[in-house]
Amino acid sequence: MTRLVLVLGDQLSPDLSALAKADRSRDVVVMAEVADEATYVQHHPKKIALIFAAMRKFAATLREDGWQVRYCALDDPANAGSIPGELLRRAEETGATEVIATRPGEWRLIGLLDEMPLKVRQLEDTRFIASTRDFEDWAEGRRALRMEYFYRDMRRKTGLLMDGDQPTGGQWNYDHDNRKPAPGSIDTGGPMQFTPDAVVEEVLDLVEARFGNSFGDLRPFHFATDPGQARRALAHFIRHALPKFGDYQDAMLNDHRFLYHALISPYLNIGLLSPLEVCQAAEAAYRAGDAPLNAAEGFIRQIIGWREYVRGIYFLEGPEYTRRNALNHQRGLPWLYWGGETRMNCLSKAVQQTREDGYAHHIQRLMVTGNFALLAGVNPSEVHDWYLRVYVDAFEWVEAPNVVGMSQFADGGVIASKPYVSSGAYINRMSDYCKSCHYKVSRKSGEGACPFNLLYWHFLDRHRDRFEGNARMGNMYRTWDRMDADHRKTVLREAGVFLDRLGAGEAV
Ligand code: FAD
Ligand code: DLZ
Ligand code: SF4
């Protein structure tokens, strides 16, 4: 009996568990570009283009490998518009009554597959190093789920940067050597870019016609859209940027959007690269003497540590996680996140880059756009919605824990032991943004004071009950309490005025 094998747009890996369980001589692969997936949030047009182009190329590869593939393009008149609809249509065509799927990376789609009138087997997504079960076992009985301990287990499990049972170099983590302030100049030309071929051009025209009005520039489009290109992009990063990845991981520069970052998250997340091959390439560069240990270890930690850890949290915490709001923040997302005018240079640069590239690096996401939303008390579900919409690498399993947990503290501290908030001083230390800003980062209050300086203390003051007892935050409260009482009043008043103006939709 023929079975259907579902391959989603972020499951483009030849070793996908659903394909491994299927039989290419009798089963039929179903792939579909569908309106429901393309519109459940208004994705960045570059993200839709990347997924559709990579899906089309993956379908061609599967056919070459002997699979029977029923592929439905978005503009096919027969398109049922949703994944369940397409499965039902193909079941009717083929007489199949059973679907083999790899569990999707989002509760929404898992639920839709569960409710189908066909038998759907949702298999573990084995493209991750830790299964959801492994993570549950690790989390069981622990009071705090700190990434660092999980990461050490992943090092032991993979053998990456291990010498016997000891971490290479004697330490698990070399962060004390990392995170230097922004360098004066950058000696890498940025990520590898690919000229669109005929398949990509056709998709770009389709996406332009259907989604051209969404936030985000579709063109120029330079992403890799098949595994061969993605591997070249990885090799380019390892050679040209990895050596300084650790040093400048947290730096931000007006004129250098990518610094020493890899720009491989979209490729990892849709299956063009595997986490293990990426980490093995970084370790090989270290072993060959081409990259220092702090860089290789820092990079590998992001992938087998953070990436695996946030996925574990997403599935452990359940479908309600995205609705958490531990700090009861209720403000609407300010218009400046959609490109509305702002004189804050750091935010303006991060949003502009996001619109143009569908990309901003980690510290821009965490300490600029995320920090500001948290300080301003924006409703975390609106923040979550924004991040899911604007980044090419955004899939809920990875986006939600980073936004709801790490960046907005809306999970009450499951991921972060304290909120990631900072005044303008941090942004000034790590970037050159403040030099060309309308506001003065050195001003704590009064005309032209940096809004981050005002909002930082406003945040701490309004959440005093919750955070004063936090061992990592006591110093901040002591500093605040030592300030002159009139200065404190002025700061709080000015922060309040700023927030009122923000709420009224004024350009700030
Ligand atoms: P690099 O800085 O070069 O890092 C290498 C790789 O490490 C990345 O490609 C990524 O796979 C992994 N990585 C690094 N940090 C994380 C992390 N915190 N969580 C998971 N993986 C990580 N990443 C996404 O893939 N999708 C998202 O939607 C996403 N949303 C984020 C939202 C916020 C508020 C924050 C703070 C972080 C978010 N991240 C997300 C994590 C991180 O910012 C991106 O993975 C990274 O910026 C991707 O760019 P890169 O490939 O150049 O990464
Ligand atoms: C993100 C996305 C988009 C834009 N379009 C499609 C699509 O048309 N067909 C498809 O199979 N998958 C698409 N995806 C990826 C899914 O939304 C993704 O599998 C889920 O969000 C789970 O991660
Ligand atoms: Fe951002 Fe403040 Fe610096 Fe301006 S002065 S760039 S608002 S941190």
Side-chain angles (χ1 to χ4, degrees), residues 188-207:
T188 165
M192 184 170 264
Q193 303 194 328
F194 299 88
T195 307
D197 57 20
V199 174
V200 177
E201 280 297 354
E202 195 174 49
V203 165
L204 291 177
D205 289 343
L206 174 73
V207 172

Side-chain angles (χ1 to χ4, degrees), residues 8-12 31-33 37-38 40 43-58 71 203 207 221 223-225 266 269-270 272 391-395:
L8 293 165
D10 55 353
Q11 298 182 338
L12 310 179
M31 296 181 70
E33 300 165 8
E37 293 309 306
Y40 69 88
H43 307 277
H44 196 294
K46 278 190 165 80
K47 175 179 174 186
I48 303 180
L50 169 67
I51 290 173
F52 286 5
M55 282 175 72
R56 290 180 184 197
K57 291 186 180 187
F58 188 67
Y71 190 96
V203 165
V207 172
F221 182 93
F223 285 98
T225 48
N269 295 352
I270 68 173
L272 302 186
Y391 290 112
V392 173
D393 61 17
F395 296 89

Side-chain angles (χ1 to χ4, degrees), residues 174-385:
Y174 291 88
D175 247 2
H176 53 82
D177 294 337
N178 289 338
R179 307 187 161 164
K180 299 187 171 60
S185 64
I186 292 289
D187 55 6
T188 165
M192 184 170 264
Q193 303 194 328
F194 299 88
T195 307
D197 57 20
V199 174
V200 177
E201 280 297 354
E202 195 174 49
V203 165
L204 291 177
D205 289 343
L206 174 73
V207 172
E208 188 154 53
R210 289 286 290 269
F211 310 104
N213 292 330
S214 303
F215 174 87
D217 297 354
L218 175 62
R219 291 188 165 89
F221 182 93
H222 293 304
F223 285 98
T225 48
D226 61 53
Q229 290 181 341
R231 281 190 192 116
R232 282 168 59 204
L234 169 66
H236 179 87
F237 160 74
I238 298 279
R239 177 145 184 225
H240 298 286
L242 177 67
K244 292 192 182 159
F245 171 84
D247 288 354
Y248 300 119
Q249 203 177 334
D250 288 4
M252 299 173 279
L253 284 173
N254 275 304
D255 296 330
H256 294 278
R257 296 177 172 196
F258 309 116
L259 292 109
Y260 296 97
H261 291 277
L263 273 95
I264 55 162
S265 49
Y267 311 144
L268 278 165
N269 295 352
I270 68 173
L272 302 186
L273 293 175
S274 84
L276 215 48
E277 75 174 308
V278 166
C279 294
Q280 282 163 349
E283 173 163 10
Y286 161 68
R287 301 266 179 217
D290 295 335
L293 185 54
N294 67 306
E297 186 282 314
F299 179 73
I300 288 171
R301 175 159 25 92
Q302 304 312 310
I303 294 172
I304 65 167
W306 280 111
R307 185 170 185 270
E308 296 281 330
Y309 167 85
V310 296
R311 176 172 183 267
I313 295 283
Y314 178 75
F315 284 112
L316 185 73
E317 293 293 313
E320 300 303 313
Y321 186 76
T322 54
R323 286 194 274 281
R324 298 219 187 139
N325 190 355
L327 301 181
N328 193 24
H329 281 172
Q330 299 299 346
R331 182 178 304 281
L333 189 76
W335 180 235
L336 67 89
Y337 281 77
W338 299 114
E341 191 188 336
T342 175
R343 290 176 295 184
M344 289 182 276
N345 188 42
C346 51
L347 275 161
S348 166
K349 285 282 151 53
V351 171
Q352 182 194 357
Q353 182 179 333
T354 299
R355 179 204 284 273
E356 290 173 7
D357 301 330
Y359 177 83
H361 70 68
H362 187 72
I363 287 302
Q364 293 173 305
R365 297 187 206 198
L366 187 63
M367 298 313 290
V368 178
T369 43
N371 185 15
F372 186 78
L374 178 57
L375 293 177
V378 178
N379 186 319
S381 105
E382 293 202 21
V383 185
H384 157 59
D385 183 66

Side-chain angles (χ1 to χ4, degrees), residues 344-346 424 427 433-434 437 439 441 450-452:
M344 289 182 276
N345 188 42
C346 51
I427 296 174
Y433 288 149
C434 303
C437 184
Y439 293 101
V441 71
C450 166
F452 281 87

